[in-house]
Amino acid sequence: MVPPEVKVISTLFSVFLVLWTGAALFATIKPKTFWRITQGWKAIREPSTAYFVFSRIGTAICAIIGLLLLIQPYLH
């Protein structure tokens, strides 16, 4: 039998991973909108296209990691 503390921590970790993956997917699909929400309020001008390309690559990697961590318990 699993102790209740472990179930609570497991649930909180799953919620964190869902939020992490959702934010990473949103940033991958709409990098300019994500930049405007998170960084645009303090910028004088919009960054170059290369910034958004590398941002999209990085957030896609984070989304893949999040998805793998979410489905990992079901792979055994």
Side-chain angles (χ1 to χ4, degrees):
M1 176 129 177
V2 179
E5 298 86 15
V6 174
K7 288 183 180 181
V8 169
I9 292 171
S10 177
T11 302
L12 289 174
F13 186 66
S14 295
V15 168
F16 171 76
L17 283 177
V18 168
L19 293 173
W20 166 291
T21 306
L25 286 173
F26 176 72
T28 301
I29 296 168
K30 297 242 182 213
K32 285 188 180 185
T33 304
F34 190 77
W35 176 83
R36 282 188 198 107
I37 292 169
T38 59
Q39 304 292 322
W41 60 274
K42 59 184 176 181
I44 297 171
R45 60 187 170 89
E46 194 172 271
S48 67
T49 305
Y51 172 85
F52 293 115
V53 170
F54 284 110
S55 175
R56 185 172 274 179
I57 292 168
T59 55
I61 291 169
C62 288
I64 290 169
I65 290 170
L67 286 172
L68 288 175
L69 287 173
L70 278 171
I71 65 169
Q72 186 264 339
Y74 302 105
L75 296 178
H76 290 184

